[in-house]
Each structure stands twice: as structure tokens, then as C-alpha cells.
Amino acid sequence: MDMQDIINTISNKVDIDPMTMEKVVGTILSVLQHETDGTSAQALFDKLPGSLELAQKYDVMAAGAASGGGLLGSLTSALGGALGEKTGALVKGFSQLEASGLSLDQIQKAGTELIEQAKAAAGPQAVNQALAQVPSLKSQLGL
């Protein structure tokens, strides 16, 4: 199962359009990529064809990555920079998800479904190892 299949499945299950779902999934994968150490995320990406490319397409740490506009966007960027890359990726990632126009409930449903689909495609061990390094991501997704 490749990432487009996963995105389509999640999109249908949580009733969010596929383009928005691609952004949500890519953003979550980008946070995982930035927040994990060592090979746990790489092992997960290796088992999910297209996931690394999707994480890079929606890279939360890229210059000009959407972090919302105005004062909130400025504060998010400053806070992310001050906290360092690891925490900054999570802060910027959730700012990017909120800027997508989805509610927190929709983001959590999409995240939960992404985890379930990733476990089905890559195996629970690969997913659990990557998530264990990012407990704050798990809590933000309501896991």
C-alpha cells in the first residue's frame, strides 16, 4: 500500500477531501521525520512507499512553511526557533494543520486513522517505535 492509497482511505473514512488529507498526512510525517532520532522514522518511511517524499513536500521546517499569518504566525515561528528543531517541528506542524481549516477533532481523527493505516501497511512495531520517540505528537493527536 503506497501513500496515495493511505491518503484516499483516510480521506474516505474521515470525510475530508483528498488534497487537504494529503497536506495533513504530509505534515504529520514531516513532524515525525524532524522529531525522531536515529533510524526509527527511517524504518517506517522505508515501509511506506512515498512517505518520505510526502514529508519533504510538506516540510514543517522549510523556509516559508505555512505557519499561519499575522501575529500568531510570527509567534509560532519565533517559538519554534527558540525551542530548537525538535520542539519547533511539532509547534510548526500543528500550526500548519490548524491553518488548513480543520478542527482539532478532524485533525485528531485524521491522525488516528493515519496511525491505523500505517500500522496495517508497515506493521505495528515500526509505527510504535517511531511514535515512542514523539510522545507529544501522540498526545496532540489524542492517541
Side-chain angles (χ1 to χ4, degrees), residues 27-28 31 60 66 76 87-98:
T27 300
I28 292 170
V31 170
V60 297
T76 300
T87 304
L90 184 65
V91 170
K92 287 184 176 187
F94 272 89
S95 176
Q96 199 166 298
L97 289 173
E98 289 172 349

Side-chain angles (χ1 to χ4, degrees), residues 27-80:
T27 300
I28 292 170
L29 291 173
S30 177
V31 170
L32 265 177
Q33 180 185 26
H34 285 287
E35 295 238 351
T36 55
D37 291 321
T39 59
S40 64
Q42 189 59 49
L44 178 61
F45 289 137
D46 288 346
K47 293 180 179 184
L48 296 172
S51 59
L52 185 59
E53 294 81 5
L54 195 59
Q56 291 168 344
K57 180 177 179 179
Y58 294 99
D59 187 353
V60 297
M61 299 303 286
S67 60
L71 182 59
L72 180 59
S74 298
L75 289 173
T76 300
S77 294
L79 182 60

Side-chain angles (χ1 to χ4, degrees), residues 28 65 104 136:
I28 292 170
L104 180 58
S136 52

